[in-house]
């Protein structure tokens, strides 16, 4: 019997549309001989839908604003030891059993551990990081604290809390003065370069931090790498084995949202909506693979990436992004993406792992983790409640 793989995507996140592109790539990479693919679309209102239309990206722009008109609303529930999907508006369609979940979501309210928590409550095996891994990967402040504890190289930084910024702004400015300008300020929980500000002088500090605070409760302030080379590496594995991919060099400079996903130019989403073939998504970013790095830098990046993967409780396929100062050659770890765009398939391809094989590996890791978890003890027999019986 084929394994039913539910590919989850969308969600209440600024990266909703990018997730649709990445998920569509996964849907088409899963081997139909081995898997029954069930696309599960999480709308911007957090409702769940499925439907044939989800197999073709060309349909997406027509339903994102109002999915209920085109797609089937569903619920997912536990039924004994099985997990099932039920059509909510069509009683004649039969329930379907789901064997494994394949989250392809980016950003807040999904990738940050929220979806992992939902899947864990359902007792469903899933291919991505667990709650802790997902949430550490989303919150740049928590992530950096762990990197610091592990001695992972980073640019100097500090965290501004929105709750006390007004009353303590002088103290925060004093912290900023200890770093060398220009500085970068970024909301702790966003992605895709949204809300990032460059602080060129001390005078700009307050205004730029307030800009970032429009997006988040916490802001990371850090030294800017002026002569920047950006390189990324993917890491795939579980608690036993960890593999590293080729290293890519991102060649279109400061990646803002449009540049990152629309390197062909044009309107946002035009590529996704306009063509029948799966859009290239993150795979279309201008890049050089392998990156132009020295042998020493390559080793540092690979070793640091594995260390970061383990330190952040990662699982499945993640991408770890680095910044290199071209002047000094120093390598700094920037961030982790726990479910990277396009699942970084273009980096695995370079080390001989096809997208199909990558998906197979992720599903097998998920099933192994689930089997291991089932062997752990999560209940404890006790008579403590007897003390509360009516005497
Ligand atoms: N300290 C820094 N120095 C120079 N450029 C930076 C720095 N931090 C971020 N950037 C630029 O901003 C982009 C987005 O920042 P990043 O920390 O990766 O956040 P996001 O989660 O939005 O991708 C990076 O890819 C890089 O181009
Ligand atoms: Mg980034």
């Amino acid at each position: 019997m084929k394994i039913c793989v539910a590919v989850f995507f969308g969600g209440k996140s600024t990266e909703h549309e990018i997730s649709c592109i990445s998920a569509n790539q996964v849907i088409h990479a899963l081997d139909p001989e081995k898997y029954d693919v069930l696309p599960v679309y999480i709308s911007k209102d957090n409702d769940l839908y499925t439907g044939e239309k989800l197999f073709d990206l060309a349909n997406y722009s027509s339903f994102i604003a109002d999915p209920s008109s085109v797609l089937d609303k569903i619920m997912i529930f536990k039924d004994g030891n099985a997990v099932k999907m039920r059509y909510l508006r069509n009683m004649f369609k039969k329930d379907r059993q789901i064997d494994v979940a394949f989250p392809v979501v980016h950003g807040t309210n999904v990738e940050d551990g929220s979806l992992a928590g939902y899947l864990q409550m359902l007792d469903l095996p899933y291919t991505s990081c667990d709650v802790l891994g997902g949430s550490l990967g989303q919150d740049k402040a928590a992530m950096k604290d762990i990197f610091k504890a592990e001695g992972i190289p980073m640019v100097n930084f500090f965290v501004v809390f929105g709750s006390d910024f007004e009353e303590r702004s002088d103290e925060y400015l004093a912290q900023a003065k200890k770093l060398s300008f220009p500085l970068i300020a970024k909301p702790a929980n966003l992605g895709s370069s949204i809300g990032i500000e460059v602080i060129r002088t001390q005078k700009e500090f307050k205004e730029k931090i307030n800009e970032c605070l429009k997006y988040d409760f916490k802001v990371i302030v850090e030294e800017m790498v002026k002569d920047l080379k950006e390189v990324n590496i993917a890491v795939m594995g579980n608690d036993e084995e960890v593999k590293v991919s080729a290293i890519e060099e991102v060649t279109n400079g400061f990646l803002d949202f449009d540049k990152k996903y629309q390197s062909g130019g044009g309107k946002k989403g035009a590529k996704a909506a306009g063509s029948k073939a799966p859009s290239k998504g993150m795979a279309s970013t201008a890049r050089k693979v392998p990156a132009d790095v020295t042998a020493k830098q390559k080793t540092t990046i690979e070793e640091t990436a594995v260390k970061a993967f383990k330190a952040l409780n990662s699982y499945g396929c993640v991408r770890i992004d680095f910044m290199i100062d071209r002047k000094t050659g120093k390598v700094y770890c920037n961030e982790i993406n726990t479910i990277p765009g396009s699942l970084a398939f273009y980096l695995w391809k370079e080390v001989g792992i096809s997208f199909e094989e990558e998906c197979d590996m992720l599903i097998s890791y998920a099933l192994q983790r689930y089997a291991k978890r089932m062997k752990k003890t999560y209940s404890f027999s006790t008579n403590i409640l007897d003390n509360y019986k009516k005497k």
Side-chain angles (χ1 to χ4, degrees):
M1 252 208 357
K2 290 187 196 176
I3 297 174
C4 178
V5 181
V7 178
F8 284 76
F9 58 99
K12 211 183 260 192
S13 155
T14 50
E15 294 163 281
H16 181 100
E17 285 78 4
I18 306 307
S19 150
C20 295
I21 299 174
S22 292
N24 208 262
Q25 294 168 329
V26 170
I27 286 170
H28 292 284
L30 286 163
D31 183 352
E33 300 281 315
K34 294 184 199 154
Y35 309 113
D36 268 333
V37 180
L38 176 74
V40 177
Y41 171 65
I42 310 167
S43 72
K44 292 186 178 182
D45 294 327
N46 272 346
D47 290 318
L48 302 182
Y49 294 90
T50 193
E52 284 301 308
K53 290 231 174 333
L54 294 171
F55 285 91
D56 189 349
L57 258 188
N59 298 319
Y60 281 53
S61 58
S62 67
F63 64 70
I64 283 198
D66 181 17
S68 60
S69 60
V70 180
L71 302 173
D72 289 311
K73 197 165 184 176
I74 56 164
M75 63 178 277
I76 296 176
F77 62 102
K78 260 173 82 72
D79 188 9
N81 285 331
V83 177
K84 291 185 179 159
M85 181 273 284
R86 176 166 293 172
Y87 292 91
L88 287 177
R89 307 260 189 271
N90 190 335
M91 284 153 62
F92 299 105
K93 284 194 178 170
K94 280 211 302 216
D95 291 348
R96 265 176 85 176
Q97 183 169 326
I98 300 173
D99 300 312
V100 58
F102 201 132
V104 193
V105 288
H106 305 314
T108 38
N109 298 312
V110 266
E111 186 186 357
D112 58 1
S114 309
L115 182 56
Y118 171 74
L119 298 170
Q120 187 121 339
M121 289 288 286
L122 283 168
D123 261 340
L124 190 59
Y126 53 95
T127 54
S128 53
C129 291
D130 66 7
V131 176
L132 180 63
S135 50
L136 287 175
Q138 186 66 40
D139 187 312
K140 290 183 167 73
M143 177 182 72
K144 279 174 173 280
D145 282 344
I146 300 223
F147 283 171
K148 203 170 175 179
E150 291 289 322
I152 288 174
M154 282 180 297
V155 289
N156 295 320
F157 76 99
F158 64 95
V159 181
V160 170
F161 291 86
S163 53
D164 64 4
F165 183 58
E166 269 309 309
E167 66 199 75
R168 291 187 52 216
S169 63
D170 288 346
E171 289 168 54
Y172 284 123
L173 181 60
Q175 278 186 278
K177 283 179 183 167
K178 287 188 195 146
L179 305 183
S180 55
F181 282 69
L183 305 176
I184 291 270
K186 45 186 140 177
N189 283 284
L190 283 187
S192 298
S193 305
I194 296 169
I196 295 194
E197 298 283 340
V198 179
I199 310 177
R200 299 199 181 277
T201 60
Q202 293 173 19
K203 266 194 193 156
E204 288 179 5
F205 181 73
K206 209 169 167 184
E207 174 205 332
K208 295 286 173 87
I209 297 295
N210 277 322
E211 257 328 291
C212 288
L213 285 171
K214 287 182 185 162
Y215 293 95
D216 209 331
F217 299 97
K218 280 186 287 190
V219 175
I220 310 294
V221 180
E222 64 185 27
E223 284 173 350
M224 180 173 178
V225 180
K226 289 194 287 289
D227 217 347
L228 175 68
K229 179 187 280 192
E230 291 194 75
V231 295
N232 307 332
I233 187 169
V235 182
M236 180 158 50
N238 57 13
D239 51 351
E240 286 170 17
E241 61 169 36
V242 182
K243 293 179 194 311
V244 291
S245 74
I247 301 173
E248 67 174 329
E249 181 177 338
V250 180
T251 51
N252 49 354
F254 193 112
L255 279 186
D256 64 18
F257 187 94
D258 280 350
K259 266 200 214 154
K260 209 170 223 169
Y261 301 109
Q262 320 278 335
S263 40
K267 267 167 60 182
K268 259 184 203 171
K271 202 176 229 167
S275 81
K276 273 216 152 128
S279 163
K280 294 198 177 73
M282 193 53 196
S284 68
T285 298
R287 59 166 56 81
K288 189 152 103 188
V289 190
D292 190 9
V293 290
T294 64
K296 195 166 161 234
Q297 285 170 336
K298 181 170 182 275
T299 310
T300 305
I301 290 164
E302 289 173 349
E303 288 175 359
T304 309
V306 170
K307 205 168 164 187
F309 181 91
K310 291 184 177 164
L312 293 177
N313 211 58
S314 305
Y315 212 94
C317 170
V318 307
R319 197 189 74 226
I320 300 178
D321 298 350
F322 289 84
M323 298 187 287
I324 298 178
D325 185 326
R326 289 175 194 270
K327 276 210 181 103
T328 61
K330 267 195 95 169
V331 173
Y332 302 101
C333 191
N334 181 33
E335 64 159 345
I336 188 170
N337 293 280
T338 58
I339 304 182
S342 302
L343 286 186
F345 74 82
Y346 51 90
L347 293 179
W348 293 111
K349 202 176 73 188
E350 298 295 320
V351 293
I353 298 174
S354 69
F355 199 6
E356 291 75 6
E357 286 165 331
E358 177 185 353
C359 292
D360 285 348
M361 285 165 73
L362 293 174
I363 290 170
S364 98
Y365 289 149
L367 296 172
Q368 279 168 26
R369 173 173 58 182
Y370 180 76
K372 268 193 186 171
R373 194 182 289 143
M374 288 299 107
K375 287 194 194 132
K376 298 271 177 219
T377 307
Y378 292 107
S379 65
F380 184 68
S381 177
T382 165
N383 59 2
I384 196 162
L385 291 176
D386 288 350
N387 298 331
Y388 294 85
K389 269 187 186 164
K390 283 214 169 79
K391 295 267 162 46

